[in-house]
């Protein structure tokens, strides 16, 4: 029952305000996470095969970059549970004329073509499964023999102070903010490297390799308030707040971000894992 509730919660979240917020902030988020996109794209080569699956593809930035790299040799598919994001990804592909396809589906249970992909990748898209073992087992079945799984996931909340600044600063003003639960679906679900390794092994993957990476990220200072008032737990709660509370939260949280502001830009370090594994 708990797993069903978690799955329904994620579906509601990403097909509601959270999904729309990501679409509305697509350009800023693509810029902020461009270093991770580059890492994944560099790992793709035509020699290893051109059939690529992007899990939790969001608005499509990573997969579109992969498709441009592979050209006519590629067959690129993106999957996400968010209809707003998939619609945005399809629109981008059509506008660019980039040969990539996108489907709205849950990668945990979707019936992919067996052994249909040479590489499966994800940028921050695999931490939201309510049953990660089932999800990674399903992806393994979609991978050809010796295909590579490569994804990037956040390390712990403690190692990512920028990502938790808004909720720490706003907590006294927004007592209804949800408490992050270790190992629950969400941004920091894969903080424990031993858990990630265990999940992949139980799902049938081999040759796991987890490496910590600390990546410098930036966003325009002019977008900072929009960023924290639309995205994350604080952004979700502010949509329901009265004007007085909203004003207090914005002032308090903006002040808390000041250590990250350097002139016209915001700078922070993203502490993540880069994870790879092979299908046996």
């Amino acid at each position: 029952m708990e797993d069903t509730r978690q799955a329904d919660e994620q579906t509601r979240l990403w097909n509601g305000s959270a999904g729309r917020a990501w679409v509305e902030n697509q350009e800023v988020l693509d810029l902020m996470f461009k270093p991770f996109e580059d890492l994944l794209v560099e790992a793709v080569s035509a020699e290893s095969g051109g059939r690529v699956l992007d899990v939790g593809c969001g608005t499509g930035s990573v997969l579109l970059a992969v498709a441009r790299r592979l050209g006519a040799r590629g067959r690129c598919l993106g999957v996400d549970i968010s209809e707003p994001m998939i619609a945005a990804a399809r629109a981008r592909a059509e506008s660019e004329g980039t040969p990539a396809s996108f489907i709205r589906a849950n990668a945990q249970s979707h019936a992919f073509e067996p052994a249909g992909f040479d590489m499966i990748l994800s940028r921050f898209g695999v931490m939201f499964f309510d049953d990660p073992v089932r999800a990674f087992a399903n992806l393994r079945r979609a991978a050809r023999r010796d295909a590579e799984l490569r994804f990037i996931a956040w390390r712990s909340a403690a190692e990512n102070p920028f990502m938790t600044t808004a909720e720490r600063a706003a907590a006294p003003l927004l007592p209804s903010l949800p408490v992050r639960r270790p190992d629950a679906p969400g941004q920091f679900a894969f903080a424990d490297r031993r858990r990630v390794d265990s999940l992949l092994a139980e799902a049938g993957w081999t040759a796991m390799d987890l490496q910590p990476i600390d990546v410098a990220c930036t966003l325009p200072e002019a977008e900072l308030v929009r960023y924290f008032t639309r995205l994350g737990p604080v952004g979700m709660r502010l949509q329901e707040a009265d004007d007085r509370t909203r004003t207090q939260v914005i002032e308090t949280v903006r002040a808390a971000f000041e250590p990250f502001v350097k002139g016209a830009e915001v700078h922070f370090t993203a502490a993540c894992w880069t994870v790879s594994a092979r299908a046996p």
Side-chain angles (χ1 to χ4, degrees), residues 9 167 171 174-186 188 233 237:
E9 179 182 344
E167 56 203 272
L174 296 173
S176 61
L177 278 176
V179 177
R180 295 183 186 265
R181 293 181 292 119
D183 299 344
F188 302 115
R237 288 297 182 268

Side-chain angles (χ1 to χ4, degrees), residues 166-230:
E167 56 203 272
R168 283 186 282 110
L173 301 170
L174 296 173
S176 61
L177 278 176
V179 177
R180 295 183 186 265
R181 293 181 292 119
D183 299 344
Q187 183 178 9
F188 302 115
F190 286 1
D192 184 345
R193 67 179 303 158
R194 291 171 298 182
R195 178 174 185 252
V196 178
D197 192 82
S198 176
L199 291 173
L200 292 173
E202 190 174 348
W205 292 90
T206 61
M208 281 77 74
D209 183 38
L210 286 77
Q211 296 296 330
I213 55 173
D214 296 297
V215 177
C217 298
T218 63
L219 74 153
E221 188 278 334
E223 297 289 344
L224 179 56
V225 171
R226 179 179 174 85
Y227 166 80
F228 71 73
T229 57
R230 293 291 289 127

Side-chain angles (χ1 to χ4, degrees), residues 55-87:
V55 180
C57 63
T59 57
S61 179
V62 173
L63 190 67
L64 291 171
V66 169
R68 289 192 292 270
R69 180 182 178 94
L70 292 176
R73 298 166 296 180
R75 183 170 71 86
C76 299
L77 177 66
V79 58
D80 202 291
I81 63 171
S82 172
E83 182 59 41
M85 291 190 191
I86 288 296

Side-chain angles (χ1 to χ4, degrees), residues 20-39:
R20 292 191 297 271
W22 271 76
V23 172
E24 292 166 6
N25 290 275
Q26 168 187 304
E27 292 184 8
V28 171
L29 291 167
D30 284 350
L31 173 65
M32 191 163 71
F33 294 142
K34 183 67 162 56
F36 300 104
E37 175 184 312
D38 293 341
L39 286 172

Side-chain angles (χ1 to χ4, degrees), residues 88-280:
R90 287 171 177 161
R92 296 176 75 176
E94 183 176 357
S95 175
E96 295 180 10
T98 302
S101 301
F102 298 91
I103 59 171
R104 178 184 178 272
N106 188 337
Q108 178 172 294
S109 55
H110 182 70
F112 295 106
E113 175 188 351
F117 296 97
D118 304 302
M119 186 170 192
I120 299 174
L121 54 81
S122 180
R123 181 190 67 182
F124 304 135
V126 295
M127 305 93 67
F128 302 93
F129 297 121
D130 63 275
D131 188 342
V133 172
R134 180 186 174 197
F136 283 118
N138 193 44
L139 294 174
R140 178 180 52 77
R141 287 188 289 270
R144 68 158 172 77
R145 182 180 179 182
D146 202 39
E148 183 179 11
L149 169 69
R150 183 178 289 267
F151 65 84
I152 295 171
W154 297 97
R155 298 205 312 266
S156 68
E159 294 171 283
N160 286 282
F162 178 84
M163 286 291 155
T164 56
T165 291
E167 56 203 272
R168 283 186 282 110
L173 301 170
L174 296 173
S176 61
L177 278 176
V179 177
R180 295 183 186 265
R181 293 181 292 119
D183 299 344
Q187 183 178 9
F188 302 115
F190 286 1
D192 184 345
R193 67 179 303 158
R194 291 171 298 182
R195 178 174 185 252
V196 178
D197 192 82
S198 176
L199 291 173
L200 292 173
E202 190 174 348
W205 292 90
T206 61
M208 281 77 74
D209 183 38
L210 286 77
Q211 296 296 330
I213 55 173
D214 296 297
V215 177
C217 298
T218 63
L219 74 153
E221 188 278 334
E223 297 289 344
L224 179 56
V225 171
R226 179 179 174 85
Y227 166 80
F228 71 73
T229 57
R230 293 291 289 127
L231 298 162
V234 172
M236 297 300 102
R237 288 297 182 268
L238 280 181
Q239 295 178 38
E240 308 163 358
D242 59 70
D243 290 343
R244 180 173 177 273
T245 299
R246 181 179 176 83
T247 298
Q248 287 181 313
V249 169
I250 291 174
E251 291 175 352
T252 301
V253 173
R254 175 59 185 84
F257 273 111
E258 193 59 32
F260 299 99
V261 177
K262 310 297 179 185
E265 291 187 325
V266 177
H267 294 260
F268 67 96
T269 299
C272 300
W273 299 116
T274 178
V275 183
S276 65
R278 290 281 177 182

